[in-house]
């Protein structure tokens, strides 16, 4: 038998498969186990009468419809994957007035900038960075300033979620909760150097007899707490050395197999 027949996963010497990514495989397994045990919200009737039971059934049907429409299971799994690789995964939860619905969007640690604080409750501001294609960015600027001539917007290179290098225009969303610096809080969206949207802080919720409470539009999932910060350290750092060693071994095996006509006698 040739060496190719005894190396799992290698069918041809001239078309070797990529080395096994144990970090990615372990992260996917971890994320699947974590999100598989995630509790789903359910409505519960407050009384046993028919009206309350009917309200329970209607509410649960709406919850299931919303979860399916928003693909929440897939989005939470993506957030868990970010948490596995980066230590912290974010989920943006925001209200879109265009369709009058609440939407969810997974974000990586490279897309969110937080005020550094020991507790999440003490974080008063965040900045969310997203990349737009030139046409979309130009359209947002023109809607914000319809009477002005729109100049070329600055483009920059970035890597998308699968590692492909692309170019786009950066958009920054600034969310600042009400406080001593801004009495009414602040939300502003900036494309290039143009403020395309701004308003007082929108996410103020009632808090019973206490003063209203402001919440940020992002929640974050910390895989391992890092003392003194609201972020975490990736639990998969320990696999990096093993992954590097496996990559070197696979590389040497494939190189030897492709350059040699050696036979392995069994």
């Amino acid at each position: 038998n040739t060496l190719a027949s005894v190396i799992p996963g290698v069918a041809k010497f001239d078309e070797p498969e990529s080395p096994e990514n144990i970090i990615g495989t372990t992260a996917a397994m971890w994320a699947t186990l974590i999100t598989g045990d995630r509790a789903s919200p359910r409505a519960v009737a407050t009384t046993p009468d028919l009206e309350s039971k009917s309200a329970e059934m209607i509410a649960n049907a709406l919850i299931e419809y919303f979860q399916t429409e928003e693909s929440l299971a897939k989005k939470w799994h993506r957030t868990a994957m970010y948490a596995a690789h980066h230590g912290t995964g974010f989920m943006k939860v925001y209200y879109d007035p265009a369709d009058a619905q609440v939407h969810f969007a997974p974000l990586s640690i490279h897309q969110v900038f937080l005020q550094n604080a020991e507790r999440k409750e003490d974080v008063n501001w965040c900045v969310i960075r997203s990349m737009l294609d030139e046409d979309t960015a130009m359209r947002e600027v023109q809607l914000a300033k319809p009477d002005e001539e729109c100049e070329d917007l600055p483009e920059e290179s970035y890597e998308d979620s699968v590692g492909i290098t692309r170019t786009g225009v950066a958009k920054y969303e600034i969310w600042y909760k009400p406080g001593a610096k801004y009495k009414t809080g602040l939300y502003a969206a900036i494309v290039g150097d143009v403020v395309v949207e701004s308003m007082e802080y929108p996410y103020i919720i009632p808090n019973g007899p206490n003063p209203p409470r402001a919440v940020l539009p992002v929640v974050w999932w910390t895989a391992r707490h890092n003392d003194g910060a609201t972020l975490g350290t990736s639990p998969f750092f320990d696999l990096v050395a093993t992954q590097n060693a496996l990559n070197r071994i696979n590389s040497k095996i494939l190189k030897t197999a492709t350059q040699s006509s050696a036979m392995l006698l069994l």
Side-chain angles (χ1 to χ4, degrees):
N1 294 324
T2 63
L3 190 58
S5 64
V6 295
I7 302 178
V10 178
K12 298 180 181 179
F13 287 155
D14 57 340
E15 298 178 6
E17 295 183 358
S18 299
E20 181 183 2
N21 187 344
I22 59 172
I23 291 181
T25 302
T26 307
M29 182 186 303
W30 181 85
T32 300
L33 292 174
I34 292 294
T35 53
D37 293 335
R38 181 178 61 88
S40 178
R42 298 288 297 175
V44 179
T46 55
T47 60
D49 58 62
L50 180 60
E51 182 179 359
S52 185
K53 286 291 186 180
S54 298
E56 174 188 358
M57 293 177 61
I58 294 172
N60 284 326
L62 289 173
I63 291 173
E64 292 176 3
Y65 171 79
F66 179 77
Q67 289 178 332
T68 303
E69 189 74 10
E70 274 292 300
S71 301
L72 283 183
K74 184 184 295 183
K75 291 179 178 179
W76 277 116
H77 188 273
R78 171 56 56 186
T79 299
M81 288 288 290
Y82 284 144
H85 285 289
H86 305 147
T88 304
F90 295 90
M91 181 72 81
K92 180 184 177 183
V93 185
Y94 64 100
Y95 175 77
D96 188 352
D99 57 8
Q101 291 190 30
V102 175
H103 294 287
F104 290 68
L107 301 172
S108 77
I109 200 172
H110 305 292
Q111 297 174 273
V112 183
F113 306 88
L114 291 176
Q115 177 187 17
N116 192 30
E118 187 173 356
R119 300 188 312 158
K120 295 182 179 181
E121 296 79 9
D122 297 332
V123 178
N124 293 316
W125 59 264
C126 72
V127 178
I128 300 175
R129 175 178 178 266
S130 57
M131 300 301 296
L132 307 177
D133 61 81
E134 187 177 10
D135 290 340
T136 301
M138 191 75 71
R139 185 163 55 251
E140 291 202 14
V141 172
Q142 288 174 345
L143 288 174
K145 294 187 174 183
D147 299 328
E148 298 183 16
E149 184 176 351
C150 186
E151 301 179 356
D152 292 338
L153 298 172
E155 290 188 291
E156 56 185 274
S157 298
Y158 70 99
E159 286 191 2
D160 63 12
S161 58
V162 295
I164 299 176
T165 301
R166 302 184 184 277
T167 58
V169 179
K171 177 180 180 179
Y172 294 91
E173 299 177 20
I174 303 171
W175 302 85
Y176 211 115
K177 295 193 294 188
K181 189 171 184 178
Y182 299 106
K183 297 296 184 182
T184 59
L186 172 68
Y187 162 73
I190 302 172
V191 177
D193 58 356
V194 178
V195 178
V196 297
E197 191 177 9
S198 64
M199 67 176 75
E200 294 182 358
Y201 197 81
Y203 299 132
I204 310 294
I205 60 176
N207 196 21
N210 301 314
R213 185 165 58 96
V215 294
L216 292 174
V218 294
V219 293
W220 51 102
W221 184 338
T222 304
R224 181 186 296 169
H225 181 64
N226 186 9
D227 291 339
T230 55
L231 304 182
T233 301
S234 171
F236 290 92
F237 281 163
D238 297 339
L239 291 176
V240 172
T242 305
Q243 181 68 71
N244 289 337
L246 180 61
N247 290 347
R248 288 194 297 269
I249 293 171
N250 283 341
S251 177
K252 290 180 179 179
I253 291 175
L254 293 175
K255 182 178 180 181
T256 301
T258 55
Q259 294 181 352
S260 173
S261 59
M263 305 290 288
L264 183 62
L265 300 179
L266 300 179

